Amino acid sequence: LQFTADHEINTSSFVLRNTEDEASLRLGYDLNFIRADGLQRRQYQTRFEERELMTHQIRGSHTLGDDTLDRVEFLDNDLFRGMTFDWYFSDSTAMTDIPNETSITGIDRIDPSSGALLSTAVLRGVGTGAFRFTDLQDEVDSYGWDLSQNFGVGDAQVELSVGQDISNKGRQYLLTQLFLGTDNLDALAGTPGEVFSDSRILDPANDFELNLGGIATESYLAGQTLDGAYFMADVLLGDAWRVVGGVRYEQFVQTALSIDQYEFDASLGQVPGLPIGDPDAAAAFLDNLVFTEDDVYPALALTYSRPDFWAEDFQLRVGASQTTTRPDLREISPSVFIDPLTEIRVIGNPTLVTSPIDSFDVRGEWFFGNGDNFTVSFFHKEIDRPIETIQSAGSDDDIVLTFVNAESAEITGIEIEWLKDLSSLGDSWGDWIEKFFIGGNVTLSDSEITMGAAGSALTNNVRPMSQQSEVIANIQLGFDSDNGNHSWSLVYNTFSERVFFAGRNGIPDAFEQPFDSLDFIYQYYPTDRLQMRFRFQNLLDEVTEITRGDVAVLEQDFGTSFRLDLQWNLN
């Protein structure tokens, strides 16, 4: 919706829906299943999951331009002329429903020398057949505004901005677990389809037991509110110098409450472990679950511009800022979830707090007349109380991950970026090479984290940060046709070995090994309205591997995939 050239309001809505239906069978060995003893572990898993995201947003942009001031004459002065006001409101709902998930542990008798299967059975015990039902819903609303004005002060051009951003997020996570099993070995012989048949379960002689619930902390309610207000000044001093500075005030509130759905009664206001009918005790209990923080975060950047310094345009930027990173709702909830990459169990930590970050960077940029560019950046970050992924206490080979606040961390590095068309090779290669370009970035960094008291049980108290590679590279070779109807690119991404999670009690840290990704993307525009995009991913058929010492604890083969996207524009 547009009113004159000064006012515009837009709305957008979209729905994403994804369904997965998986069945898997894992065979392997651990401390309890040793090949030399003729034993092999067999794990059956099924999972049906539906995910949906609905988002609605309305946003507006308003300027006090000539069309508006002609109608509102009392605002027609230098103070208001050219002032802009932007605003938005967004509402989102994300839902995950898992109406069927099973995990059944089996035991195989095998020939120790050849590995040939001799017999199979479901593992003895009441909890060897696990059936899970999950319901997750996230509600997020966010809104904000920005007011800005430009004016001149002598030879300087100044833009002042003030604004606010507010977001509210709520989550309800309900997990129901059933465990089915027996100690009757005769009833456990065979595959799950045979063991958990109606005839065996309903036979009283087989002594099947059905247990309800897990450890009573899997379900939870959580909420998060962030209210941030900011002021910024952007000052252009002649053609050479630019100063951008600002300050942001943020108020942050976050809480998570574990729910035992078999004990909690909302109608009675009952909190498990507290006396019924004592609102003061319940209020004090809930207050202890709320984390509240407010702080001020400044930022300042100085830019120097100079033409004809090894390129048509050159910029040197020096910046310093303070900010923070905060734990996600899932990370502070004392519940168990499955990591989507590794399928390892992860438990949240309600004691996590925010991690303040001090950043400093220097950036040199060269822009060439033909569109080429080259950038070199140096950066340094100091993090207080960084959030790290570590191995939690577990039994035997059972890996359970959790999160802790370490003492401190530092990251120092350099990044190189470039974009270069290959027209300069035309004399040697021919005119066809002029349609190609090469771009990318390479980052070299060094990180160190000191765990402090949080690392008392960890194998390495001082080490590189998790998920932080010393080398990251992204390189693209692209082609654009003269008429713009065709384009393709060959994209290569890689990273060096990095810590995936920290080990404990002398067990080595787990490292994610390099993954060399090579993708080919082709785009075709047969008409002004129709766009076709073909994507071939993981052409090198790389495998994700996580190792501890010389042992691979996880390997995932994703294979090579093909994807076709079609887009039709109505306008």
Side-chain angles (χ1 to χ4, degrees), residues 168-182:
N168 302 296
K169 181 177 182 179
R171 168 176 294 179
Q172 58 181 24
Y173 180 77
L174 183 64
L175 174 64
T176 303
Q177 294 191 99
L178 304 175
F179 298 98
L180 182 63
T182 180

Side-chain angles (χ1 to χ4, degrees), residues 491-511:
V491 182
Y492 173 74
N493 305 285
T494 189
F495 57 85
S496 61
E497 181 183 73
R498 58 194 182 193
V499 177
F500 192 78
F501 62 84
R504 58 188 290 127
N505 297 328
I507 300 176
D509 298 331
F511 285 86

Side-chain angles (χ1 to χ4, degrees), residues 10 54 241 271 360 381 384 388 530 545 560:
N10 297 279
M54 295 184 293
W241 295 93
V271 177
F360 174 79
K381 298 179 184 293
D384 189 25
E388 275 288 285
L530 180 61
E545 184 179 55
T560 301

Side-chain angles (χ1 to χ4, degrees), residues 142-177:
S142 57
Y143 50 95
W145 57 271
D146 177 89
L147 181 67
S148 62
Q149 175 66 305
N150 289 282
F151 56 89
V153 179
D155 295 334
Q157 282 296 122
V158 180
E159 179 181 358
L160 299 180
S161 301
V162 61
Q164 186 178 22
D165 285 300
I166 300 174
S167 66
N168 302 296
K169 181 177 182 179
R171 168 176 294 179
Q172 58 181 24
Y173 180 77
L174 183 64
L175 174 64
T176 303
Q177 294 191 99

Side-chain angles (χ1 to χ4, degrees), residues 323-326 353-359 380-388 405-412 447-450 465-466 468:
T323 183
T324 189
T325 181
R326 299 183 171 94
V353 296
T354 59
S355 306
I357 302 174
D358 293 332
S359 299
H380 177 75
K381 298 179 184 293
E382 296 183 359
I383 309 173
D384 189 25
R385 307 190 303 265
I387 299 172
E388 275 288 285
N405 283 107
E407 183 177 292
S408 62
E410 291 187 358
I411 306 174
T412 302
S447 68
E448 182 179 277
I449 186 168
T450 302
M465 294 183 66
S466 63
Q468 185 70 30

Side-chain angles (χ1 to χ4, degrees), residues 216-236:
T217 59
E218 288 86 352
S219 301
Y220 64 92
L221 300 175
Q224 181 186 95
T225 296
L226 178 62
D227 186 349
Y230 57 89
F231 171 79
M232 186 183 74
D234 187 346
V235 182
L236 185 62

Side-chain angles (χ1 to χ4, degrees), residues 358-425:
D358 293 332
S359 299
F360 174 79
D361 66 274
V362 179
R363 182 181 180 91
E365 300 174 305
W366 289 265
F367 301 95
F368 300 88
N370 61 354
D372 294 350
N373 62 73
F374 182 77
T375 301
V376 178
S377 304
F378 167 82
F379 59 89
H380 177 75
K381 298 179 184 293
E382 296 183 359
I383 309 173
D384 189 25
R385 307 190 303 265
I387 299 172
E388 275 288 285
T389 304
I390 68 169
Q391 183 177 0
S392 181
S395 59
D396 297 336
D397 294 324
D398 186 24
I399 298 177
V400 180
L401 304 183
T402 189
F403 310 97
V404 295
N405 283 107
E407 183 177 292
S408 62
E410 291 187 358
I411 306 174
T412 302
I414 186 171
E415 181 179 19
I416 301 173
E417 304 174 67
W418 72 90
L419 177 64
K420 177 76 174 81
D421 72 40
L422 303 184
S423 58
S424 59
L425 302 178

